[in-house]
Amino acid sequence: MRILFFFFLGLVVNSGFSQSATTEKDASAAQPNILWLVVEDISSYLPMYGDSTIETPNLSRLAAEGICYDNVFAPAPVCAPARAAIATGMYPNRLGADHMRTGPWMMGEV
């Protein structure tokens, strides 16, 4: 009985590997290659946005070979609420992150 169990276990494991390898190859060929770079406090001081203050050869090459979005919006005008929204996918006021850590709960008044 034990030998039969290990035989069937070997068949199941082997069939799983062969199917996952072929589906993984097919899926990787169908999926786009996405690189999402998130930086803060640099504004648009990059050559791909028309500024010549600094040289960024690797970022410039990535932008030339891919897509560079120049019409995007932030969910908040300051860093911490915008970061909280990007990290969670929720609006900062829904999270309570829109006050930049200010308010009665931070002062011990609540």
Side-chain angles (χ1 to χ4, degrees):
M1 187 69 175
R2 209 178 226 180
I3 293 172
L4 191 60
F5 171 73
F6 285 114
F7 175 74
F8 283 116
L9 181 66
L11 283 176
V12 169
V13 169
N14 189 24
S15 66
F17 280 130
S18 64
Q19 287 179 351
S20 68
T22 56
T23 56
E24 191 174 303
K25 289 178 186 176
D26 296 337
S28 66
Q31 293 178 350
N33 187 7
I34 297 173
L35 174 65
W36 180 20
L37 297 175
V38 178
V39 295
E40 59 183 70
D41 297 336
I42 64 167
S43 203
S44 59
Y45 297 136
L46 295 170
M48 69 272 314
Y49 294 116
D51 192 85
S52 61
T53 306
I54 59 172
E55 293 181 15
T56 57
N58 293 327
L59 286 177
S60 297
R61 183 174 44 92
L62 280 172
E65 293 175 2
I67 298 172
C68 189
Y69 294 100
D70 58 356
N71 191 19
V72 295
F73 301 92
V78 288
C79 61
R83 258 194 324 268
I86 290 169
T88 62
M90 297 174 67
Y91 287 112
N93 57 353
R94 177 74 173 128
L95 294 167
D98 55 339
H99 297 293
M100 285 288 290
R101 301 182 197 102
T102 62
W105 56 88
M106 295 300 290
M107 305 299 173
E109 298 172 9
V110 175

